[in-house]
Every structure is written in C-alpha cells, then in structure tokens.
C-alpha cells in the first residue's frame, strides 16, 4: 500500500477488535515513536513521554479498570443508546502486544515556555500533535492504534508510578492487525455518523 | 517532492517568516481541510470548526493583540532570554494570505459522548489531532503553517463572534512559502534544542 500522506490519513482507524497479538520489531517501533517525537511543540518544549507497557499484569489491571468505567458509562445511557453501546468493543488492551502511555509534563522547557504564557493548555496540545504523528506512522507501517479513554487519570498515574506534575494523556494499544476497517466502528454500529466538511467551515466569523 | 508520510513529517515546520503572500486554490484548501476533518475524534464527535479569515481588518486587529501579548511575555524574560526572544519572529498573520481559526465545541455529539465521561479534555484532544492532520497536509501541498499562540482566548472569541461554549484552540497562518527551513526557528535562534527520542521513552513504568 502507498504511504502517501492522504492515503494514510484515509486508511487510519481507531482499532479495537482487529489486533492479532503479533509483535512489533524494534526498527518499526523506532520509526513510529520517532514520528511522534518529530511533532511540533510549543516553545520547542517536547513535553511528551512514551511509556511502553508490555507486562501482562499491568495491562490486566488497566483492562479491569476500563471494564468498570465502561459499566459506569453504560449506566448513564437510555435503552436505545445502551443497546448500541453494548455492541461496541472499546479496547484492545489485552489483544494488542504493546500499549503506549503518552504523558504531558508541563515543567518541560520551563520556566518561560515561548508561546504558553497566555494559553496554559498549549503544552497539552503539543502532546496531541505527537499522538497524531504516531497514529499516522503506525498506519503507514500497517499497525493498528486504539486510543482507550475509559479510565481515570488518577488510576493510571498510580499504575505507572508517574510524578504528580505529569499528566497521562492517552493509553494507546499498538500492534499488528488483521485489517483496518473502511468505516469507523462507531459508524458501523450506528452510534454516530460522520458529518460533511462543509458543516465545519465558516467564513470570516463564526 | 515526495508525499511519503515520514518525509512530510520530517519537512513540516512552524512557519513565521517565509510566507510569500500568495493565494491557495480552493482545490488545495479543500484537500487540506478535508485531511483535518478526517481526523479521529472521541465518540466520533468531530468537535472542531474551521473559520477561514481573509479579511485584512480582522487580521490586523489580531496582529496588534499578538504584539501586545509578545511584549507581555518579553517583560517576563531576563537579559539573555530577552535578547534571544527579540530575534524570533512569532507570527505571519499579515504575511500569509489566509488564517484558519480552529475551535472546539464541547456540546457536539452530546449528551453522552462515548469515551469522554471520565476525561473531560478528550474532545480538546480530538481538535488537536485534526490540527496535526491539517499541518501535515499543508506541508505535503508545499504550504506553510504557523501556529500563533500569543493571544488571549477571550479576545479571539470576541473577534470571531464565537458562542461562549465554543473555545478557540488555534490561530493558524496558512499560505505558500519561499521554502521550509531545515531546522526549527527556535533551534536556529538558540532558544532551545531538540532532545533525542531516547530521553522520552520509558519501559513498563515512569
């Protein structure tokens, strides 16, 4: 397959159910993390870190926490939405061979981070730019990425033994996949449909 | 030039001083915004909007605000840092032919956004993923992008007539450029240097 940027953007999916459990070579993983690390960052602060989690005991503990959070969310849904949600798998924590916890350290590049004095969240934004680079690079390498966001930050901070100042931003499942779906899971399962671009574009003012 | 993903990631720069002032065709702009709109989003909420700002009066008003914020930041720096900062251009608001204001609407996809019940900022993260897609697509099209973050959100909300619930995330200058620098501006001007990837990688725990 082509690694033309637009083609990669089109192929990229949030993967939950298609992980094979296969391993990633160090060379490929280096390219994927290198892409993340090449992202832009406010004041060149590079405030991200990547914790590579392979240990099954750790992944099992996180998985159980996610299951509890899934139940918490499910309890807020009415009948129709609850039935649709039941069909949607929300993580591949145990099936993928590797998880990558991406974090944000606001103290990086301090004390005066160029471009962050007026917008406290600008460093947080940088971490997300790195995640998207990682996601696209993984797609180019025919790997799947699944972003799990059914967790409490405090739980993950404890599990990873992170300093209080550092904030977990994402738990990403990463690994070889049988295939990438053409249509996002949430759309396939009738949760929501994608809107056309024109709905999101404004001219001169809101 | 190649539009291989890794090559685009390597070429991408935060552009301030290299805008030619040339125009972008509707076809190219459609591809760039389409790339942004194809980003992943929590619960498929697609919580971003793109305001295309061409009007010079609006850009002039924003530019003057940025200059004031630049002075505010400069006043916090000591002698050495102040001298380095003085050499660094921080925006291309007037030189680029187009600015794109990217916003976040937390009400999009509600009331129950799948994946956001435990992490309130997850929607904010989605908007940043879209911005990185936009940035890479612009690079593939040989356009420059400059993210301006020297502004107060309240000022920009007012200037754009945005509803209170919507939050401005980025002001992006977008346009043709003479070239993209090999080395980031902040590194060229001695503000900060990029760190090696190995410094950002941890195994199993922090």
């Amino acid at each position: 397959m082509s690694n033309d940027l637009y083609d990669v953007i089109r192929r990229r999916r949030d993967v939950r159910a298609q992980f094979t459990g296969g391993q990633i070579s160090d060379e490929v993983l280096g390219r994927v993390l290198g892409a993340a690390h090449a992202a832009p960052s406010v004041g060149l602060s590079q405030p991200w870190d990547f914790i590579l989690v392979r240990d099954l005991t750790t992944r099992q503990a996180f998985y159980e926490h996610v299951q509890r959070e899934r139940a918490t969310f499910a309890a807020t849904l009415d009948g129709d939405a609850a039935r649709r949600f039941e069909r949607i798998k929300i993580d591949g924590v145990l099936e993928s061979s590797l998880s990558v916890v991406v974090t944000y350290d606001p103290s990086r590049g301090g004390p005066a981070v160029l471009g962050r004095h007026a917008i406290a969240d600008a460093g947080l934004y940088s971490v997300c730019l790195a995640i998207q680079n990682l996601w696209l690079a993984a797609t180019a390498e025919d790997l799947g990425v699944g972003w799990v966001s059914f967790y409490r930050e405090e739980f993950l901070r404890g599990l990873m033994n992170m300093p209080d100042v550092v904030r977990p931003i994402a738990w990403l499942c990463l690994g070889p996949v049988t295939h990438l779906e053409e249509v996002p899971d949430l759309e396939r399962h009738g949760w929501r449909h994608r809107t056309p671009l024109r709905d999101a574009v404004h001219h001169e003012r809101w």
Side-chain angles (χ1 to χ4, degrees), chain A:
Chain A
M1 265 177 290
S2 146
N3 281 339
D4 174 87
L5 171 73
Y6 286 111
D7 193 43
V8 174
I9 285 176
R10 188 188 56 71
R11 292 206 314 268
R12 183 213 54 76
R13 284 280 91 76
D14 194 354
V15 172
R16 297 168 181 85
Q18 290 80 31
F19 290 109
T20 66
Q23 300 297 310
I24 306 167
S25 74
D26 288 347
E27 189 185 338
V28 169
L29 184 59
R31 285 200 295 267
V32 170
L33 295 176
H37 197 60
S41 60
V42 64
L44 206 52
S45 55
Q46 300 182 293
W48 47 69
D49 282 85
F50 309 100
I51 309 176
L52 309 181
V53 181
R54 292 185 171 91
D55 183 68
L56 187 57
T57 310
T58 306
R59 288 191 284 133
Q60 185 76 40
F62 184 69
Y63 173 78
E64 284 163 16
H65 173 73
V66 168
Q67 292 305 105
R68 289 192 295 273
E69 288 299 327
R70 180 185 176 116
T72 302
F73 179 70
T76 68
L77 301 174
D78 65 17
D80 259 13
R83 273 186 293 279
R84 273 177 287 148
F85 181 60
E86 206 176 328
R87 290 198 300 269
I88 301 173
K89 185 170 163 62
I90 61 162
D91 74 89
V93 173
L94 298 179
E95 294 89 348
S96 66
S97 51
L98 174 69
S99 287
V100 182
V101 178
V102 187
T103 64
Y104 168 49
D105 180 355
S107 70
R108 194 77 52 82
V113 175
L114 196 161
R116 212 183 66 187
H117 84 284
I119 302 172
D121 281 343
L124 204 57
Y125 302 165
S126 304
V127 176
C128 299
L129 305 182
I131 291 172
Q132 185 62 3
N133 270 11
L134 183 158
W135 207 330
L136 294 175
T139 305
E141 301 284 354
D142 291 326
L143 300 172
V145 171
W147 183 328
V148 185
S149 60
F150 277 74
Y151 65 85
R152 301 285 162 177
E153 292 182 7
E154 273 312 300
F155 176 86
L156 186 49
R157 182 179 287 115
L159 189 66
M160 293 288 105
N161 201 25
M162 291 166 53
D164 285 347
V165 68
V166 178
R167 185 172 170 192
I169 303 303
W171 179 294
L172 305 176
C173 303
L174 179 64
V177 288
T178 55
H179 64 285
L180 294 175
E181 293 285 344
E182 278 287 317
V183 176
D185 278 9
L186 299 196
E187 192 160 337
R188 286 193 299 129
H189 293 294
W191 181 265
R192 265 183 78 79
H193 291 274
R194 286 171 290 181
T195 59
L197 170 61
R198 65 173 180 277
D199 290 1
V201 175
H202 309 245
H203 292 273
E204 301 303 346
R205 280 188 176 65
W206 183 269

